[in-house]
Each structure stands twice: as structure tokens, then as C-alpha cells.
Amino acid sequence: MAERSKTLLWLGIGAVALAVLLIPRLMPAGEEEVADPAAEAATLTVEVKQMQPGPMVERLATTGTLQADEQVQIRSEIAGVVEAIRFDEGVRVEKGRLLVQLDDEQLEAERDRARFRVDLARQREIRQQDLLAQGLISQDDYDTALSQLNVLEAELRLAEAQLGKTRISAPFDGLIGFRFISVGAAITPQTPIATLQRVDPIKVQFAVPERYASEVRVGETVHFRVKGSEEHHEGLIYAIEPTVDQETRSLRARARSANPDGSLLPGSFADVELTIREIPDALTVPAIAVIPELGGKKVFVVEDGQAVPRFVETGIRTDTEVQIVRGLEPDERVIVSGVQQLVPGAPVVERAAESAQEVAP
């Protein structure tokens, strides 16, 4: 049995040796060695951008709400019964136009009574002044008559003021909305009559993140558009809230915009864009050219026909471009297409990129 095992062992060793000798002879010529993939890497045609300083604008996109330039809810200062309504709903009214007339019969009577009492007190004051000059009455008697006249004149002015409040007029030019009263209704100072709004110009209120608070200034231009419209509008910032909201960590600002046709309506939602800063000589690359890595960011430049990685520090960015703060110099050629396929040292053929918007990965 042991002799048989030794025989099988020697037969196996012989078979292995024979295979080692015969296989190289059976392989086709040229397949003895495996080629290095890196040595046969294909040359890539890439688009490049030559670095040149140019202007770059950082813009902030935020949201806002349109507000009337002036808005007030028309109410009566006194209680009374509506005698007449002098306006139509949804029309433009001028400052001082009579809107509502309250019943004033009782107040007119009170005013007339006050006038009669003033006339009588004035005549008495004149007589008392003559008697004082003749020495027939004391100074105290005259002062009493004069004081009574002054009190009655004040009561007359009060009666006239109350009578004037029965005429409710527009405090400024604007558009008046729906009315909430009817003729014959008894109203009080708590009863809403209608809403009056001035919408030309119109305000847009928006929020700015706290980190940009120092970049927003009165007098700067903002651009905005409302939902459902592609028309762009401009406005000027006229006021900035001096306090950062603790809940949203944002700063509120307001701008005014012309609205002569009234197409911009208070309460509308607005997409707002404003310029944060402008850099006149920024080095920029298309955003697709920047490759994020664990230790930072890099781009590929062309040197001697090869793709060479370069670590960079970026600054501001737009939807399509990124500012390069450090790592690149003017006139260097940055690869802006096919960057995900590049490896250091890969041979490339250059082709100028027409624009950042046309660059594709």
C-alpha cells in the first residue's frame, strides 16, 4: 500500500513538470507578458479655460413679501348712524375725499347752542371791561367774566370738532377696498368701514442672513419678481431693521419699487435678489472643474500635454462659476470637461471652451 502511494506521488510530480514545460510552447507569440494599462492609456480630448482676471458679482437670493406703501383701516372716531356712503368699492380715491357721512343733526344743535352761549358771554365780557375801566367793578369780577368766555369758546371748538368727525374722509390718495357697512348702520370706533391702500410705490420686505448683515446698505438696488410672472422689477432699499431676529438669525430690510399700473399687489410672495459684493479682477473657473476631496479641492491644469492636479482655495461662487483665491495663476489652462475621468499624468489634447455654460462633464 505504501509502495502504491509513492508511485502516485511521483506520477503527480511528473505531470506538473510536464505542464510547466509544455504550456509556454502552446501559448501564441506575444502573450507571454501582460501589458501595463497605464502605458496604453488613451489620450483624452478636453476643453480648457485660460485663466484671466475678470469681474465677478456675488448675489444673494432670498424671499420677501410685497406691502402697500401706506395702509389704513378706515374707522369712525365717534359712534353714530351712517347717513350716506360716498365711495365705490375697489376704486381710487384722493386725499380728503368724503367717504362716509354720519347723522349730524344732534351735533349741529349742540354746536349752535355753544355758539349762542359764546355770543352772550362775549357781550358780557365787553360790558365788564367797560365797568372795570370806570372803576365800578373789581378786577375779580372782570376775570370771572373773561374766564367764562374762554370756557364757552373751548366748548364751541369741541362741539365743532365732534361735528367734523361725522364726515369721514380719505387720509391719503389710494385704492379703497370692500366696505363693511351699509346706510343706516349704527357704528362705533371699533367698526371697520373699509381698507385704504397706497400701492404706488410698493414696498418689498425681505430677510437677509445674519452673515451678510454688513453687506446690505440703504440705497442699494434689489431685483425681484412675483409668483406667476416672469417680469423683473427693481427697487431701492430705504430702511434696514437695526436688530437681528433671534429666531431666524436674519436681518429684515425694505425696498420701494415703482408700481404705476398697480400690477404688483400687497401680500404677494416675491423672489428677491441683491448684489452682495463685486470683485473686479477675480480668477474664476466653471463649477464643474472643481473636484472636492477630503483634504480640500482641486482642479486639473494642462502642463506639457498632461493633466496635472492642482489644489486650490475657493472664494465666492455663482450658479456656474467659482472664484479661485489661491492655487492658480493667470494664463494657466484649467481643464473644464471630463474631469472625473482624469488621472494625474494622463495625456490630453486641448480644445478651448466656448463658455462656462456650454461646458459639460
Side-chain angles (χ1 to χ4, degrees):
M1 192 69 178
E3 199 64 35
R4 184 179 178 183
S5 299
K6 289 181 180 181
T7 302
L8 292 175
L9 177 61
W10 283 109
L11 287 175
I13 294 173
V16 171
L18 182 61
V20 171
L21 292 174
L22 292 179
I23 287 177
R25 296 176 179 273
L26 296 175
M27 291 179 61
E31 294 188 6
E32 294 85 351
E33 297 181 0
V34 178
D36 183 4
E40 296 184 1
T43 300
L44 295 176
T45 299
V46 295
E47 294 183 340
V48 299
K49 177 184 177 182
Q50 189 170 13
M51 301 297 295
Q52 293 294 339
M56 187 177 190
V57 179
E58 182 181 15
R59 293 184 172 89
L60 172 67
T62 183
T63 57
T65 304
L66 299 189
Q67 299 177 344
D69 186 50
E70 297 291 349
Q71 177 175 318
V72 66
Q73 192 169 69
I74 305 296
R75 297 176 186 266
S76 173
E77 294 185 58
I78 61 173
V81 176
V82 178
E83 184 178 87
I85 297 174
R86 306 293 189 186
F87 70 91
D88 294 324
E89 296 171 301
V91 301
R92 184 177 299 277
V93 297
E94 298 76 29
K95 178 180 179 179
R97 174 177 170 177
L98 178 62
L99 302 177
V100 176
Q101 174 67 59
L102 301 182
D103 179 26
D104 59 0
E105 184 176 358
Q106 180 178 347
L107 292 176
E108 281 187 344
E110 292 180 1
R111 179 203 58 189
D112 293 343
R113 182 179 63 179
R115 281 179 177 173
F116 295 143
R117 296 177 67 182
V118 166
D119 290 342
L120 181 60
R122 184 173 293 118
Q123 295 173 9
R124 184 169 184 273
E125 183 271 334
I126 293 174
R127 289 195 301 270
Q128 293 292 88
Q129 188 175 28
D130 292 340
L131 293 174
L132 177 64
Q134 298 174 26
L136 299 178
I137 62 172
S138 65
Q139 182 68 41
D140 287 342
D141 293 334
Y142 172 75
D143 292 342
T144 300
L146 180 61
S147 177
Q148 186 177 13
L149 173 62
N150 292 335
V151 169
L152 293 175
E153 286 179 340
E155 290 179 354
L156 174 60
R157 290 195 298 271
L158 177 61
E160 290 175 340
Q162 291 292 98
L163 181 61
K165 291 177 181 179
T166 61
R167 297 172 56 87
I168 304 171
S169 303
F172 51 80
D173 297 346
L175 293 172
I176 197 162
F178 296 152
R179 60 180 172 88
F180 306 108
I181 61 170
S182 299
V183 174
I187 63 174
T188 68
Q190 287 72 45
T191 305
I193 295 175
T195 299
L196 179 66
Q197 299 181 102
R198 182 163 64 201
V199 297
D200 183 26
I202 199 162
K203 298 175 183 176
V204 54
Q205 179 171 301
F206 55 94
V208 178
E210 181 180 3
R211 65 180 179 273
Y212 295 116
S214 61
E215 305 293 339
V216 181
R217 298 177 180 85
V218 172
E220 291 186 347
T221 300
V222 299
H223 301 266
F224 68 95
R225 62 186 181 87
V226 297
K227 295 298 183 182
S229 173
E230 295 301 321
E231 185 177 359
H232 288 261
H233 307 271
E234 287 188 0
L236 291 179
I237 298 176
Y238 74 91
I240 300 173
E241 187 74 36
T243 304
V244 174
D245 189 290
Q246 294 184 1
E247 294 183 1
T248 62
R249 290 300 172 187
S250 60
L251 189 71
R252 290 183 299 177
R254 284 181 179 176
R256 282 195 180 99
S257 177
N259 186 31
D261 59 355
S263 60
L264 298 174
L265 302 178
S268 298
F269 183 87
D271 292 313
V272 183
E273 185 180 85
L274 64 155
T275 299
I276 297 299
R277 55 176 167 161
E278 298 182 16
I279 303 174
D281 54 354
L283 289 176
T284 63
V285 297
I288 193 66
V290 180
I291 305 172
E293 290 193 343
L294 185 60
K297 300 173 184 176
K298 72 178 181 181
V299 299
F300 278 96
V301 298
V302 177
E303 291 184 2
D304 300 327
Q306 294 183 332
V308 178
R310 188 75 58 76
F311 285 91
V312 296
E313 181 181 337
T314 60
I316 65 176
R317 64 183 299 148
T318 65
D319 292 339
T320 58
E321 301 234 328
V322 178
Q323 178 196 13
I324 302 300
V325 177
R326 187 175 292 106
L328 293 177
E329 299 295 334
D331 296 327
E332 288 194 282
R333 303 185 306 283
V334 177
I335 298 175
V336 297
S337 70
V339 293
Q340 299 297 336
Q341 305 171 21
L342 295 175
V343 295
V348 294
V349 175
E350 302 178 39
R351 184 178 65 188
E354 295 183 4
S355 68
Q357 287 77 9
E358 297 175 358
V359 174

